[in-house]
Amino acid sequence: VGSRMYRTGDLVRQSAGGELDYLGRVDHQVKIRGFRIELGEIESVLAAHPAVGQVAVLAREDQQGGRQVVAYLVAAPGAELPDTAELRAYVGGMLPDYMVPAAFVALDAFPVTPNGKLDRKALPAPDFSAARSGRRPRTAQEELLCAVFAELLGVPDVGIDDSFFHLGGHSLLATRLVGRIRSALGVELAVRAVFEAPTVAALAARLADAGQARPALLPAVRPDRVPLSFAQRRLWFLHRLEGPSATYNLPMALRLSGALDREALAAALADVAGRHESLRTVFPEDDGVPYQEVLADAVPELLVRRTTESALADALVAAAATGFELERELPLRAELFVLGEEDHALLLTLHHIAGDGWSMAPLGADLATAYAARVRGEAPQWKPLAVQYADYALWQQGLLGEEGDPDSVISRQLAFWKSELANAPEELNIPTDRQRPAAASYRGASLRFTVPPEVHDGLLALARESRAT
């Protein structure tokens, strides 16, 4: 104790008997696009190839700033390295697709440090576009798809046999690819099609069977009464069934240290509500039919309460557990808890009918932007939103139609799922440690635990095989 220690970088696990099990290298395990990858495992597969003399596998940054697996190779004496396609097929035959390197770099020799070890920092940056095939586009559609691939992937050009994922694509980029194809060609492709046909040639072949692109979401002419979206209808029904409750409250608490300008904070709340119509929308009904009513000048009130450190947690829980009267109350509530002159806690509670978990980050960001501007004595300088949620609700209704129309999209989808779920059990009899109550209490808690890497990898493999998340 107290003397110099050497960090080896080895990853080990201590057994109950005190023995250390070697698991690999800490610096060789990376996480790319949600997959935990053991780089040493890829090195072992490539090292087994008879033409490979030396191999090093690293995670490098690509043109979009994401991380990709790169293999560096030195040929065995008297051998010639296979081309990229053959190497990719070789690795893909032994490892999952997400572990196949995005680039292969052939070197005459590896750079080494003064003490003879591999100098990983001196390895050259890979050319991710080197994996491109030679076949050029044959039709106008293939030419356009090649251009879209290249733009999204940040490469100079793409051949029609190049895989979107081998060139650095992933699920988020696949979603953007589908959107670009919709805009450019006026056709609707499922994101699944990109995974099933990841090359330009294969994807172009699917365009003939693709449906007509759905209409763009644009600002709509507002009727006197804007209908609810289907998601809002569900939440309105549950609200009417249960009455005001905290079941669908989304609370976000922020601890604020330092001087706080309450007037600037209240003005910032007004700015955010003015920017987002959904934050100043109430849901009255007429003859049992709900509708959205956007209030022009409504502003969430900033409620100020004094509390102590010991009472803060209970105060936050109690405030977050207060239900909303959706018929007349704005779906955003702001409460400021004062603990001291420069010590505050801000609680924002949003009802799920106006947003979801993903909405909390932009809500917080917009509030911070507006507050910073108001402290300077200015109004926030942000661009008006292109569309509001009411526009989306009208767009959705026009796209899906009404359930009473047997020819509408929503009626056909409803009929499909009724057929698919006809024999589904009314409840899942999964093993639990307590008996199911007659009525849900919604009491619960969060339990954090660690999933071992091998279990995580198994879950990912099962999800891929089942085409599930």
Side-chain angles (χ1 to χ4, degrees):
V1 177
S3 60
R4 182 184 298 273
M5 297 182 69
Y6 177 68
R7 185 175 183 177
T8 66
D10 295 325
L11 181 65
V12 298
R13 175 176 57 199
Q14 187 173 24
S15 68
E19 298 180 348
L20 297 178
D21 298 327
Y22 178 74
L23 302 177
R25 296 279 300 169
V26 172
D27 54 356
H28 278 197
Q29 192 176 83
V30 297
K31 193 172 185 180
I32 297 178
R33 299 193 300 275
F35 295 101
R36 193 178 297 277
I37 296 175
E38 182 64 55
L39 299 178
E41 191 175 349
I42 306 173
E43 289 180 348
S44 298
V45 169
L46 284 168
H49 193 288
V52 175
Q54 292 178 284
V55 58
V57 178
L58 279 70
R60 299 290 297 255
E61 194 170 281
D62 62 14
Q63 293 92 335
Q64 291 80 39
R67 302 179 80 194
Q68 300 284 356
V69 176
V70 180
Y72 294 87
L73 307 168
V74 174
E80 183 177 346
L81 288 173
D83 61 21
T84 295
E86 184 179 336
L87 287 168
R88 181 171 284 120
Y90 172 75
V91 178
M94 300 186 185
L95 294 175
D97 191 56
Y98 65 87
M99 294 183 73
V100 177
F104 294 84
V105 181
L107 299 174
D108 294 331
F110 279 162
V112 294
T113 61
N115 59 5
K117 290 189 175 183
L118 172 65
D119 188 355
R120 294 178 179 270
K121 294 182 179 179
L123 290 169
D127 179 8
F128 289 101
S129 63
R132 301 193 304 273
S133 69
R135 287 214 299 164
R136 311 313 303 161
R138 302 159 296 183
T139 66
Q141 283 187 337
E142 287 185 347
E143 188 171 354
L144 191 146
L145 287 175
C146 283
V148 173
F149 269 47
E151 179 187 354
L152 286 177
L153 296 169
V155 296
D157 63 297
V158 173
I160 64 173
D161 298 315
D162 294 332
S163 169
F164 181 76
F165 299 103
H166 289 164
L167 291 178
H170 47 76
S171 57
L172 292 178
L173 275 181
T175 304
R176 292 177 58 190
L177 175 64
V178 168
R180 294 291 180 87
I181 293 173
R182 179 190 303 127
S183 301
L185 295 174
V187 296
E188 195 68 42
L189 280 175
V191 176
R192 182 181 66 250
V194 182
F195 287 86
E196 295 173 348
T199 67
V200 166
L203 205 56
R206 296 217 172 185
L207 293 180
D209 299 324
Q212 185 177 0
R214 62 193 183 199
L217 172 57
L218 298 170
V221 177
R222 302 284 179 89
D224 291 337
R225 292 185 174 177
V226 178
L228 275 61
S229 70
F230 289 103
Q232 287 177 325
R233 289 188 198 181
R234 290 194 298 272
L235 290 161
W236 176 84
F237 172 79
L238 291 170
H239 171 73
R240 296 292 290 165
L241 182 68
E242 294 183 348
S245 74
T247 307
Y248 291 98
N249 283 7
L250 301 173
M252 178 172 68
L254 305 170
R255 191 67 179 259
L256 309 175
S257 299
L260 180 69
D261 187 332
R262 295 185 195 176
E263 290 186 2
L265 180 58
L269 279 167
D271 292 328
V272 174
R275 178 171 169 79
H276 300 276
E277 286 184 355
S278 57
L279 300 181
R280 46 188 170 87
T281 298
V282 293
F283 302 87
E285 61 178 271
D286 182 15
D287 199 21
V289 179
Y291 58 93
Q292 298 188 57
E293 182 180 352
V294 180
L295 305 180
D297 301 316
V299 174
E301 181 184 359
L302 179 62
L303 302 174
V304 180
R305 310 181 192 281
R306 289 200 166 274
T307 188
T308 62
E309 187 68 47
S310 60
L312 177 61
D314 288 341
L316 290 172
V317 169
T322 304
F324 287 87
E325 294 280 359
L326 296 179
E327 299 86 352
R328 56 180 179 81
E329 186 180 358
L330 297 185
L332 175 65
R333 188 181 295 128
E335 297 176 71
L336 183 68
F337 294 88
V338 182
L339 294 95
E341 190 67 26
E342 295 190 350
D343 191 7
H344 302 79
L346 176 65
L347 176 66
L348 300 176
T349 307
L350 181 69
H351 193 279
H352 195 16
I353 203 167
D356 56 16
W358 287 100
S359 307
M360 304 309 283
L363 172 62
D366 278 2
L367 182 60
T369 299
Y371 176 73
R374 290 298 177 182
V375 167
R376 297 192 303 268
E378 305 168 359
Q381 300 298 313
W382 46 37
K383 293 181 181 179
L385 298 176
V387 292
Q388 297 284 348
Y389 193 83
D391 298 315
Y392 168 77
L394 291 166
W395 172 85
Q396 184 190 60
Q397 186 184 58
L399 180 68
L400 299 181
E402 293 289 344
E403 294 178 27
D405 178 5
D407 296 325
S408 68
V409 175
I410 191 67
S411 291
R412 295 197 301 270
Q413 290 186 356
L414 188 60
F416 170 82
W417 285 112
K418 281 183 175 179
S419 174
E420 285 290 302
L421 302 175
N423 298 317
E426 291 188 6
E427 64 180 46
L428 293 177
N429 293 315
I430 55 177
T432 58
D433 59 348
R434 289 177 173 81
Q435 194 170 15
R436 184 190 296 267
S441 67
Y442 301 108
R443 291 195 305 270
S446 298
L447 176 64
R448 296 184 180 275
F449 60 95
T450 301
V451 177
E454 58 272 17
V455 175
H456 180 254
D457 292 341
L459 289 170
L460 290 176
L462 177 62
R464 287 192 304 274
E465 293 169 7
S466 308
R467 291 187 178 180
T469 54

